[in-house]
Amino acid sequence: MNSMTTYTAAPPPTPDWDPSSSSDEESPPSSSLTFDKERHVAFLEMMYHMLPYHYQSQEINHLTLAYFVISGLDILGSLDRVDKDAVAAWVLSLQSNPGDKAELNSGQFYGFCGSRSSQFSSDNDGILIQNHSHLASTYCALSILKTVGYNLSNIDSKLISMSIRNLQQPDGSFLPIHIGAETDLRFIYCAAAICFMLEDWSGMDREKTKEYIFKCQSYDGGFGMIPGSESHGGGTYCAVASLSLMGFIEDDVLSKSAASSIIDIPLLLEWCLQRQAADGGFQGRANKPSDTCYAFWVGAVLRILGGSKLIDGTALRRFLLTCQSEYGGFSKFPNELPDLYHSYYGYTALSLFEEPGLNALSVELGITGFAALGI
């Protein structure tokens, strides 16, 4: 694949939220329970310059993969390894724009496309005709731009905010793309994060969205991706982070004398704490094995609620470091090859629990605090 600074592609029309590139081949276990920061920097820098061929099937996920690399390097304090201007220029080239004013009322979403393959080829004048912008791609694009220090006031944020309403459904949920797809909490989170980063909530009816999220809380306290579905660590993060970004959950709600929302906070807390398994890691659902990424998805929920001190941090760190590869990066389970998805959420989890040498996170946005504040 091409260098990330010359990418000709980006993320998927309906990303799975877990675009890992696993292999049946096993790598040797990590030789140490020490976090090897420089080896992780080398791993991400390699991915920045040349993605392994295993990622060819994820060409349409290119922007998502870039987000993992760029934001990962920022967490590791090594953003100087990339050409920030080139990264910003590439991301901006993926923004979708209407051909004329008449198209503004076409029902399309004018955000960011996931890759070149989700844009039409050039017209007769050599101008790219862009289509199929996606909520998840737009979240990744804005996150990258903030990470490399690009001023979001330079993009047509009003166009994004105005057209994002085309994706909201009567029940408050969001389609990820204007031509239709599934609706679930992943895309509510993307919409909320986009509105928050653009400082413009005109594209979302927050009250309707809040009501949809409330319907997704299950009997056991966690949140399913859609109403009535099984509680899931990723869905629970999307629900709680969205409510926080929208202003419906106060910071450190557990320390408050009265609940700030109608979700069942005590039951949610119990569900999250039950996800830490005997090996110290976190599972995404009941009776599932521990998985690197859920240290972030569930750990971040506990941080937002103010309950992260209830986690056995020592055991969690030990589990994460058993998933650390000798090549740099993290795998889903111990003793497997690393992939970008689990590597990124390994870094976010360690940052969340204040691993020395890592930049702190903006927990709700999933990028560093420096990036979130535009520092």
Side-chain angles (χ1 to χ4, degrees):
M1 296 185 102
N2 293 330
S3 162
M4 187 160 294
T5 58
T6 57
Y7 272 157
T8 57
T14 51
D16 185 328
W17 213 256
D18 187 358
S20 60
S21 184
S22 59
S23 168
D24 293 333
E25 179 184 355
E26 290 191 354
S27 65
S30 174
S31 60
S32 170
L33 290 183
T34 300
F35 180 67
D36 193 341
K37 177 179 172 180
E38 289 309 311
R39 190 163 292 183
H40 291 287
V41 171
F43 171 80
L44 290 181
E45 191 173 9
M46 176 190 71
M47 295 292 186
Y48 171 74
H49 288 293
M50 185 68 72
L51 285 170
Y53 75 90
H54 303 84
Y55 289 93
Q56 288 177 352
S57 63
Q58 295 187 47
E59 185 278 334
I60 202 167
N61 268 324
H62 225 151
L63 229 171
T64 303
L65 298 174
Y67 159 68
F68 294 148
V69 172
I70 303 302
S71 188
L73 285 169
D74 193 25
I75 292 171
L76 295 171
S78 300
L79 199 55
D80 60 336
R81 307 298 179 96
V82 307
D83 184 333
K84 297 178 186 178
D85 291 337
V87 169
W90 173 69
V91 172
L92 292 169
S93 74
L94 294 167
Q95 186 171 12
S96 179
N97 293 288
D100 54 52
K101 290 185 178 179
E103 290 186 11
L104 288 173
N105 298 317
S106 65
Q108 292 195 34
F109 170 53
Y110 293 102
F112 286 80
C113 299
S115 70
R116 291 284 180 259
S117 65
S118 57
Q119 297 173 312
F120 289 123
S121 59
S122 300
D123 65 10
N124 293 333
D125 298 320
I127 299 173
L128 278 177
I129 303 173
Q130 300 174 325
N131 193 20
H132 298 337
S133 54
H134 191 285
L135 270 180
S137 303
T138 304
Y139 161 74
C140 290
L142 297 180
S143 296
I144 293 171
L145 290 173
K146 286 185 74 67
T147 297
V148 299
Y150 185 83
N151 190 337
L152 295 188
S153 66
N154 292 327
I155 66 173
D156 191 346
S157 59
K158 283 294 180 185
L159 180 63
I160 298 174
S161 298
M162 179 182 67
S163 65
I164 204 172
R165 269 197 177 270
N166 294 329
L167 302 178
Q168 187 162 26
Q169 303 303 292
D171 63 0
S173 64
F174 278 83
L175 290 169
I177 191 168
H178 78 275
I179 58 175
E182 70 270 33
T183 60
D184 59 49
L185 287 176
R186 294 174 298 172
F187 307 120
I188 281 181
Y189 170 75
C190 290
I194 290 165
C195 292
F196 186 91
M197 285 189 278
L198 294 178
E199 300 180 7
D200 185 349
W201 291 93
S202 62
M204 173 188 285
D205 184 331
R206 280 184 277 185
E207 287 297 323
K208 280 188 176 181
T209 301
K210 178 182 70 172
E211 292 303 318
Y212 182 88
I213 293 173
F214 289 161
K215 292 175 183 176
C216 292
Q217 188 168 27
S218 182
Y219 70 92
D220 58 5
F223 287 79
M225 286 295 188
I226 60 175
S229 61
E230 180 185 9
S231 294
H232 184 278
T236 300
Y237 170 82
C238 290
V240 174
S242 296
L243 290 172
S244 180
L245 290 169
M246 291 189 291
F248 294 121
I249 290 183
E250 298 178 70
D251 292 338
D252 194 15
V253 67
L254 293 178
S255 69
K256 308 296 189 297
S257 58
S260 60
S261 68
I262 62 172
I263 65 171
D264 192 327
I265 297 289
L267 198 60
L268 170 60
L269 176 65
E270 182 180 356
W271 183 86
C272 289
L273 293 175
Q274 288 176 347
R275 300 285 69 76
Q276 186 164 26
D279 61 8
F282 274 86
Q283 57 185 195
R285 292 176 288 159
N287 301 314
K288 293 291 184 178
S290 297
D291 177 333
T292 294
C293 68
Y294 292 109
F296 172 77
W297 297 125
V298 180
V301 173
L302 288 166
R303 170 63 68 87
I304 293 170
L305 298 178
S308 56
K309 292 183 179 179
L310 300 175
I311 296 171
D312 185 340
T314 301
L316 176 58
R317 184 178 185 274
R318 186 184 305 114
F319 170 80
L320 289 173
L321 293 181
T322 64
C323 298
Q324 177 180 235
S325 170
E326 65 172 357
Y327 311 114
F330 286 88
S331 56
K332 180 174 184 175
F333 303 127
N335 304 327
E336 293 189 354
L337 288 172
D339 63 79
L340 268 176
Y341 174 84
H342 290 94
S343 295
Y344 184 68
Y345 289 109
Y347 305 141
T348 56
L350 287 171
S351 172
L352 194 66
F353 294 99
E354 301 178 351
E355 180 72 21
L358 300 186
N359 285 327
L361 278 179
S362 168
V363 181
E364 292 86 351
L365 289 180
I367 55 179
T368 67
F370 293 132
L373 294 172
I375 297 175

